[in-house]
Amino acid sequence: MNIALRIAAGLLALVAFGSGISKTFLPKEKLAAQPGGEWTHSVSGGFLEALGCLELLSVVGLILPAVLDIAPVMVPVTSVCWVLLLTGAMITRGRLGQVKLMAGDAAYFAIAVFVAYGRFVLEPFSS
C-alpha cells in the first residue's frame, strides 16, 4: 500500500508541476487558446499566476515531507487541498460543458482522495 500511495502522490505532483508551470509562466492568451482554456477569460492574470504558484508549492507538499521525513502529515493535507482545487475545477468545467476534461479532473480527484485517505487512515507515516 505504501508504494501505491507514493506512486499516486508522485503522479499528483507531476500533474501539479505541469499545470503550475503553464499557469505561472505562459501568457494568459496562450492558456486561453489551449483546449479547455476558456475558463481563463473570466479571471485575471494575477489569479492565474497565484494559482500556478500554489500548484507548484503543492509539488513540494506532496513529495518533500515524505522524502525528508519532516512534517510528513503535509502529504495528506496537500492531497486534501488538491481535492478542494479539483472540486472547483470540475464545477468550472461543468458550467462550461467540458465533460471530457471534467472526467480527467475526476480521475485526479479520485487519486487525491486515495492519497489523503491512505495517508490519514490506511498507512500514515510513522512519527
Side-chain angles (χ1 to χ4, degrees):
M1 180 61 75
N2 187 39
I3 293 173
L5 288 166
R6 287 183 186 267
I7 290 170
L11 177 63
L12 281 179
L14 283 174
V15 170
F17 183 75
S19 181
I21 289 289
S22 67
K23 286 182 185 89
T24 304
F25 297 109
L26 288 180
K28 182 178 174 181
E29 297 78 27
K30 198 166 194 171
L31 283 174
Q34 293 179 350
E38 294 84 9
W39 67 273
T40 60
H41 293 297
S42 62
V43 299
S44 69
F47 176 82
L48 284 175
E49 290 177 9
L51 186 59
C53 288
L54 288 173
E55 289 174 344
L56 290 173
L57 285 172
S58 72
V59 174
V60 174
L62 286 165
I63 301 297
L64 286 184
V67 171
L68 300 176
D69 196 29
I70 298 173
V73 72
M74 288 308 298
V75 174
V77 169
T78 303
S79 296
V80 169
C81 292
W82 261 97
V83 166
L84 297 174
L85 175 84
L86 289 166
T87 300
M90 288 188 294
I91 290 169
T92 301
R93 294 205 193 276
R95 287 182 180 165
L96 294 173
Q98 300 172 335
V99 179
K100 289 182 183 177
L101 294 173
M102 194 167 75
D105 291 338
Y108 295 129
F109 177 90
I111 294 169
V113 168
F114 170 69
V115 172
Y117 182 74
R119 286 299 178 204
F120 273 133
V121 178
L122 299 177
E123 193 162 332
F125 293 109
S126 56
S127 329

Short mmCIF file of all heavy atoms in Angstrom, two decimals, residues 79-124:
data_model
loop_
_atom_site.label_atom_id
_atom_site.label_comp_id
_atom_site.label_asym_id
_atom_site.label_seq_id
_atom_site.Cartn_x
_atom_site.Cartn_y
_atom_site.Cartn_z
N SER A 79 -2.94 16.72 -0.21
CA SER A 79 -3.90 15.96 -1.01
C SER A 79 -5.32 16.46 -0.80
O SER A 79 -6.10 16.55 -1.75
CB SER A 79 -3.82 14.48 -0.68
OG SER A 79 -2.57 13.96 -1.05
N VAL A 80 -5.66 16.80 0.42
CA VAL A 80 -6.99 17.38 0.69
C VAL A 80 -7.14 18.72 -0.03
O VAL A 80 -8.20 19.01 -0.60
CB VAL A 80 -7.23 17.53 2.21
CG1 VAL A 80 -8.47 18.36 2.49
CG2 VAL A 80 -7.33 16.17 2.87
N CYS A 81 -6.08 19.50 -0.06
CA CYS A 81 -6.12 20.77 -0.79
C CYS A 81 -6.34 20.52 -2.28
O CYS A 81 -7.08 21.26 -2.94
CB CYS A 81 -4.84 21.56 -0.56
SG CYS A 81 -4.67 22.16 1.13
N TRP A 82 -5.74 19.46 -2.80
CA TRP A 82 -5.95 19.09 -4.21
C TRP A 82 -7.39 18.67 -4.45
O TRP A 82 -7.98 18.96 -5.49
CB TRP A 82 -5.00 17.98 -4.64
CG TRP A 82 -3.84 18.55 -5.38
CD1 TRP A 82 -2.61 18.83 -4.88
CD2 TRP A 82 -3.82 18.95 -6.75
NE1 TRP A 82 -1.84 19.39 -5.86
CE2 TRP A 82 -2.55 19.46 -7.01
CE3 TRP A 82 -4.76 18.92 -7.76
CZ2 TRP A 82 -2.19 19.95 -8.26
CZ3 TRP A 82 -4.39 19.40 -9.01
CH2 TRP A 82 -3.12 19.92 -9.25
N VAL A 83 -7.98 17.97 -3.48
CA VAL A 83 -9.40 17.60 -3.60
C VAL A 83 -10.25 18.86 -3.74
O VAL A 83 -11.14 18.94 -4.60
CB VAL A 83 -9.84 16.74 -2.39
CG1 VAL A 83 -11.35 16.63 -2.33
CG2 VAL A 83 -9.19 15.37 -2.45
N LEU A 84 -9.98 19.86 -2.93
CA LEU A 84 -10.73 21.12 -2.99
C LEU A 84 -10.49 21.84 -4.32
O LEU A 84 -11.44 22.34 -4.94
CB LEU A 84 -10.35 22.02 -1.81
CG LEU A 84 -10.68 21.47 -0.42
CD1 LEU A 84 -10.11 22.37 0.65
CD2 LEU A 84 -12.18 21.29 -0.26
N LEU A 85 -9.26 21.88 -4.76
CA LEU A 85 -8.92 22.52 -6.03
C LEU A 85 -9.63 21.83 -7.18
O LEU A 85 -10.21 22.48 -8.05
CB LEU A 85 -7.40 22.49 -6.25
CG LEU A 85 -6.93 23.03 -7.59
CD1 LEU A 85 -6.81 24.54 -7.50
CD2 LEU A 85 -5.62 22.41 -7.97
N LEU A 86 -9.61 20.51 -7.19
CA LEU A 86 -10.23 19.77 -8.28
C LEU A 86 -11.74 19.84 -8.23
O LEU A 86 -12.40 19.76 -9.27
CB LEU A 86 -9.73 18.33 -8.28
CG LEU A 86 -8.28 18.21 -8.72
CD1 LEU A 86 -7.71 16.84 -8.39
CD2 LEU A 86 -8.15 18.48 -10.20
N THR A 87 -12.31 20.01 -7.05
CA THR A 87 -13.75 20.22 -6.95
C THR A 87 -14.13 21.51 -7.69
O THR A 87 -15.07 21.54 -8.48
CB THR A 87 -14.19 20.30 -5.48
OG1 THR A 87 -13.86 19.07 -4.84
CG2 THR A 87 -15.68 20.55 -5.36
N GLY A 88 -13.36 22.56 -7.45
CA GLY A 88 -13.59 23.81 -8.16
C GLY A 88 -13.38 23.68 -9.66
O GLY A 88 -14.14 24.23 -10.46
N ALA A 89 -12.36 22.92 -10.05
CA ALA A 89 -12.09 22.71 -11.47
C ALA A 89 -13.24 21.97 -12.14
O ALA A 89 -13.67 22.32 -13.25
CB ALA A 89 -10.79 21.94 -11.65
N MET A 90 -13.76 20.94 -11.46
CA MET A 90 -14.87 20.18 -12.05
C MET A 90 -16.14 21.01 -12.15
O MET A 90 -16.88 20.92 -13.13
CB MET A 90 -15.12 18.90 -11.25
CG MET A 90 -14.03 17.87 -11.44
SD MET A 90 -14.38 16.27 -10.70
CE MET A 90 -14.40 16.66 -8.96
N ILE A 91 -16.39 21.85 -11.16
CA ILE A 91 -17.56 22.74 -11.22
C ILE A 91 -17.41 23.71 -12.39
O ILE A 91 -18.35 23.92 -13.16
CB ILE A 91 -17.73 23.49 -9.88
CG1 ILE A 91 -18.17 22.52 -8.79
CG2 ILE A 91 -18.73 24.64 -10.03
CD1 ILE A 91 -18.12 23.08 -7.39
N THR A 92 -16.23 24.29 -12.53
CA THR A 92 -15.98 25.22 -13.63
C THR A 92 -16.13 24.54 -14.97
O THR A 92 -16.78 25.06 -15.88
CB THR A 92 -14.58 25.84 -13.50
OG1 THR A 92 -14.48 26.51 -12.25
CG2 THR A 92 -14.30 26.81 -14.63
N ARG A 93 -15.56 23.36 -15.12
CA ARG A 93 -15.67 22.63 -16.39
C ARG A 93 -17.11 22.22 -16.67
O ARG A 93 -17.55 22.22 -17.81
CB ARG A 93 -14.74 21.43 -16.38
CG ARG A 93 -13.27 21.84 -16.33
CD ARG A 93 -12.40 20.78 -16.90
NE ARG A 93 -11.01 20.97 -16.62
CZ ARG A 93 -10.20 21.75 -17.35
NH1 ARG A 93 -10.68 22.44 -18.35
NH2 ARG A 93 -8.92 21.84 -17.05
N GLY A 94 -17.84 21.85 -15.64
CA GLY A 94 -19.24 21.50 -15.81
C GLY A 94 -20.05 22.69 -16.31
O GLY A 94 -20.91 22.54 -17.19
N ARG A 95 -19.79 23.87 -15.78
CA ARG A 95 -20.50 25.07 -16.22
C ARG A 95 -20.20 25.40 -17.67
O ARG A 95 -21.03 25.95 -18.37
CB ARG A 95 -20.12 26.25 -15.34
CG ARG A 95 -20.71 26.20 -13.97
CD ARG A 95 -20.34 27.41 -13.16
NE ARG A 95 -20.92 27.32 -11.83
CZ ARG A 95 -20.55 28.06 -10.82
NH1 ARG A 95 -19.60 28.97 -10.98
NH2 ARG A 95 -21.13 27.92 -9.65
N LEU A 96 -18.97 25.07 -18.10
CA LEU A 96 -18.57 25.35 -19.49
C LEU A 96 -18.91 24.21 -20.43
O LEU A 96 -18.64 24.30 -21.63
CB LEU A 96 -17.07 25.65 -19.55
CG LEU A 96 -16.62 26.92 -18.83
CD1 LEU A 96 -15.10 27.02 -18.82
CD2 LEU A 96 -17.23 28.14 -19.51
N GLY A 97 -19.46 23.12 -19.90
CA GLY A 97 -19.83 21.98 -20.74
C GLY A 97 -18.64 21.15 -21.21
O GLY A 97 -18.74 20.45 -22.21
N GLN A 98 -17.53 21.21 -20.50
CA GLN A 98 -16.32 20.47 -20.88
C GLN A 98 -16.31 19.11 -20.15
O GLN A 98 -15.49 18.87 -19.28
CB GLN A 98 -15.07 21.28 -20.53
CG GLN A 98 -15.02 22.60 -21.24
CD GLN A 98 -13.89 23.48 -20.75
OE1 GLN A 98 -13.42 23.35 -19.62
NE2 GLN A 98 -13.45 24.41 -21.60
N VAL A 99 -17.20 18.23 -20.59
CA VAL A 99 -17.40 16.96 -19.89
C VAL A 99 -16.17 16.07 -19.96
O VAL A 99 -15.80 15.43 -18.97
CB VAL A 99 -18.65 16.25 -20.45
CG1 VAL A 99 -18.86 14.92 -19.76
CG2 VAL A 99 -19.87 17.13 -20.30
N LYS A 100 -15.50 16.01 -21.10
CA LYS A 100 -14.32 15.16 -21.22
C LYS A 100 -13.20 15.62 -20.28
O LYS A 100 -12.55 14.81 -19.64
CB LYS A 100 -13.82 15.13 -22.66
CG LYS A 100 -14.71 14.37 -23.60
CD LYS A 100 -14.14 14.35 -24.99
CE LYS A 100 -15.09 13.64 -25.94
NZ LYS A 100 -14.60 13.66 -27.31
N LEU A 101 -12.99 16.91 -20.22
CA LEU A 101 -11.96 17.44 -19.33
C LEU A 101 -12.37 17.27 -17.87
O LEU A 101 -11.53 17.05 -17.00
CB LEU A 101 -11.69 18.91 -19.64
CG LEU A 101 -11.07 19.18 -21.01
CD1 LEU A 101 -11.01 20.66 -21.29
CD2 LEU A 101 -9.69 18.55 -21.12
N MET A 102 -13.66 17.35 -17.61
CA MET A 102 -14.16 17.15 -16.25
C MET A 102 -13.91 15.71 -15.81
O MET A 102 -13.59 15.46 -14.64
CB MET A 102 -15.66 17.46 -16.19
CG MET A 102 -16.18 17.59 -14.79
SD MET A 102 -17.82 18.31 -14.71
CE MET A 102 -18.82 16.97 -15.27
N ALA A 103 -13.98 14.76 -16.74
CA ALA A 103 -13.69 13.36 -16.41
C ALA A 103 -12.23 13.19 -16.01
O ALA A 103 -11.91 12.43 -15.09
CB ALA A 103 -14.05 12.47 -17.59
N GLY A 104 -11.34 13.89 -16.69
CA GLY A 104 -9.93 13.84 -16.30
C GLY A 104 -9.70 14.42 -14.92
O GLY A 104 -8.96 13.86 -14.11
N ASP A 105 -10.37 15.53 -14.64
CA ASP A 105 -10.28 16.11 -13.30
C ASP A 105 -10.82 15.15 -12.25
O ASP A 105 -10.29 15.06 -11.14
CB ASP A 105 -11.05 17.43 -13.23
CG ASP A 105 -10.40 18.54 -14.04
OD1 ASP A 105 -9.18 18.45 -14.30
OD2 ASP A 105 -11.11 19.50 -14.40
N ALA A 106 -11.89 14.43 -12.59
CA ALA A 106 -12.47 13.46 -11.65
C ALA A 106 -11.48 12.34 -11.35
O ALA A 106 -11.42 11.84 -10.22
CB ALA A 106 -13.77 12.90 -12.20
N ALA A 107 -10.70 11.94 -12.35
CA ALA A 107 -9.69 10.90 -12.12
C ALA A 107 -8.61 11.40 -11.15
O ALA A 107 -8.23 10.68 -10.22
CB ALA A 107 -9.05 10.48 -13.45
N TYR A 108 -8.15 12.62 -11.35
CA TYR A 108 -7.16 13.19 -10.43
C TYR A 108 -7.76 13.41 -9.05
O TYR A 108 -7.09 13.25 -8.04
CB TYR A 108 -6.58 14.50 -10.98
CG TYR A 108 -5.78 14.31 -12.24
CD1 TYR A 108 -6.01 15.08 -13.36
CD2 TYR A 108 -4.78 13.34 -12.32
CE1 TYR A 108 -5.28 14.91 -14.53
CE2 TYR A 108 -4.06 13.15 -13.48
CZ TYR A 108 -4.31 13.93 -14.57
OH TYR A 108 -3.59 13.75 -15.71
N PHE A 109 -9.03 13.77 -9.01
CA PHE A 109 -9.76 13.91 -7.75
C PHE A 109 -9.72 12.59 -6.98
O PHE A 109 -9.43 12.56 -5.78
CB PHE A 109 -11.21 14.33 -8.05
CG PHE A 109 -12.10 14.44 -6.85
CD1 PHE A 109 -12.21 15.62 -6.16
CD2 PHE A 109 -12.84 13.35 -6.41
CE1 PHE A 109 -13.04 15.74 -5.05
CE2 PHE A 109 -13.67 13.44 -5.31
CZ PHE A 109 -13.77 14.64 -4.63
N ALA A 110 -10.01 11.49 -7.69
CA ALA A 110 -10.00 10.17 -7.04
C ALA A 110 -8.62 9.81 -6.52
O ALA A 110 -8.49 9.25 -5.42
CB ALA A 110 -10.50 9.10 -8.02
N ILE A 111 -7.59 10.15 -7.27
CA ILE A 111 -6.22 9.87 -6.82
C ILE A 111 -5.90 10.69 -5.57
O ILE A 111 -5.31 10.19 -4.61
CB ILE A 111 -5.21 10.14 -7.94
CG1 ILE A 111 -5.43 9.15 -9.09
CG2 ILE A 111 -3.78 10.05 -7.43
CD1 ILE A 111 -4.66 9.49 -10.35
N ALA A 112 -6.31 11.95 -5.57
CA ALA A 112 -6.06 12.81 -4.40
C ALA A 112 -6.80 12.29 -3.17
O ALA A 112 -6.26 12.29 -2.06
CB ALA A 112 -6.46 14.25 -4.71
N VAL A 113 -8.03 11.83 -3.35
CA VAL A 113 -8.79 11.24 -2.24
C VAL A 113 -8.08 9.99 -1.73
O VAL A 113 -7.96 9.77 -0.52
CB VAL A 113 -10.25 10.93 -2.66
CG1 VAL A 113 -10.95 10.06 -1.63
CG2 VAL A 113 -11.02 12.22 -2.88
N PHE A 114 -7.58 9.18 -2.66
CA PHE A 114 -6.86 7.96 -2.29
C PHE A 114 -5.63 8.29 -1.45
O PHE A 114 -5.38 7.67 -0.41
CB PHE A 114 -6.46 7.18 -3.55
CG PHE A 114 -5.52 6.04 -3.31
CD1 PHE A 114 -5.94 4.91 -2.62
CD2 PHE A 114 -4.22 6.08 -3.78
CE1 PHE A 114 -5.07 3.85 -2.39
CE2 PHE A 114 -3.34 5.04 -3.57
CZ PHE A 114 -3.77 3.92 -2.87
N VAL A 115 -4.86 9.28 -1.88
CA VAL A 115 -3.65 9.65 -1.13
C VAL A 115 -4.03 10.21 0.24
O VAL A 115 -3.43 9.83 1.27
CB VAL A 115 -2.79 10.65 -1.92
CG1 VAL A 115 -1.64 11.18 -1.07
CG2 VAL A 115 -2.25 10.02 -3.19
N ALA A 116 -5.02 11.08 0.28
CA ALA A 116 -5.42 11.68 1.57
C ALA A 116 -5.93 10.60 2.53
O ALA A 116 -5.48 10.52 3.68
CB ALA A 116 -6.50 12.73 1.34
N TYR A 117 -6.84 9.77 2.06
CA TYR A 117 -7.39 8.71 2.92
C TYR A 117 -6.30 7.70 3.29
O TYR A 117 -6.20 7.28 4.45
CB TYR A 117 -8.55 8.01 2.21
CG TYR A 117 -9.20 6.95 3.06
CD1 TYR A 117 -10.03 7.29 4.12
CD2 TYR A 117 -8.97 5.59 2.81
CE1 TYR A 117 -10.62 6.32 4.91
CE2 TYR A 117 -9.56 4.61 3.59
CZ TYR A 117 -10.38 4.98 4.64
OH TYR A 117 -10.96 4.02 5.41
N GLY A 118 -5.48 7.36 2.33
CA GLY A 118 -4.42 6.38 2.59
C GLY A 118 -3.42 6.85 3.61
O GLY A 118 -3.00 6.10 4.49
N ARG A 119 -3.04 8.14 3.53
CA ARG A 119 -2.04 8.65 4.46
C ARG A 119 -2.63 9.09 5.80
O ARG A 119 -1.93 9.09 6.80
CB ARG A 119 -1.27 9.81 3.82
CG ARG A 119 -0.28 9.35 2.78
CD ARG A 119 0.75 8.44 3.36
NE ARG A 119 1.68 7.98 2.34
CZ ARG A 119 2.38 6.87 2.45
NH1 ARG A 119 2.26 6.09 3.51
NH2 ARG A 119 3.21 6.52 1.51
N PHE A 120 -3.90 9.43 5.82
CA PHE A 120 -4.52 9.76 7.11
C PHE A 120 -4.97 8.50 7.85
O PHE A 120 -4.85 8.44 9.07
CB PHE A 120 -5.74 10.67 6.92
CG PHE A 120 -5.41 12.14 6.88
CD1 PHE A 120 -5.96 12.93 5.89
CD2 PHE A 120 -4.59 12.74 7.81
CE1 PHE A 120 -5.70 14.29 5.83
CE2 PHE A 120 -4.31 14.08 7.76
CZ PHE A 120 -4.87 14.87 6.77
N VAL A 121 -5.47 7.48 7.12
CA VAL A 121 -6.14 6.36 7.76
C VAL A 121 -5.42 5.02 7.54
O VAL A 121 -5.09 4.32 8.50
CB VAL A 121 -7.60 6.24 7.26
CG1 VAL A 121 -8.30 5.04 7.87
CG2 VAL A 121 -8.36 7.52 7.56
N LEU A 122 -5.21 4.65 6.28
CA LEU A 122 -4.72 3.30 5.98
C LEU A 122 -3.26 3.08 6.36
O LEU A 122 -2.92 2.09 7.00
CB LEU A 122 -4.90 2.99 4.49
CG LEU A 122 -6.33 3.00 3.98
CD1 LEU A 122 -6.35 2.75 2.47
CD2 LEU A 122 -7.17 1.97 4.70
N GLU A 123 -2.40 3.98 5.93
CA GLU A 123 -0.97 3.83 6.21
C GLU A 123 -0.33 5.18 6.43
O GLU A 123 0.40 5.69 5.58
CB GLU A 123 -0.30 3.09 5.04
CG GLU A 123 1.08 2.63 5.42
CD GLU A 123 1.61 1.55 4.48
OE1 GLU A 123 0.83 0.80 3.91
OE2 GLU A 123 2.83 1.50 4.37
N PRO A 124 -0.59 5.77 7.59
CA PRO A 124 0.04 7.06 7.88
C PRO A 124 1.55 6.90 8.08
O PRO A 124 2.03 5.82 8.41
CB PRO A 124 -0.64 7.53 9.16
CG PRO A 124 -1.34 6.35 9.72
CD PRO A 124 -1.46 5.32 8.65
#
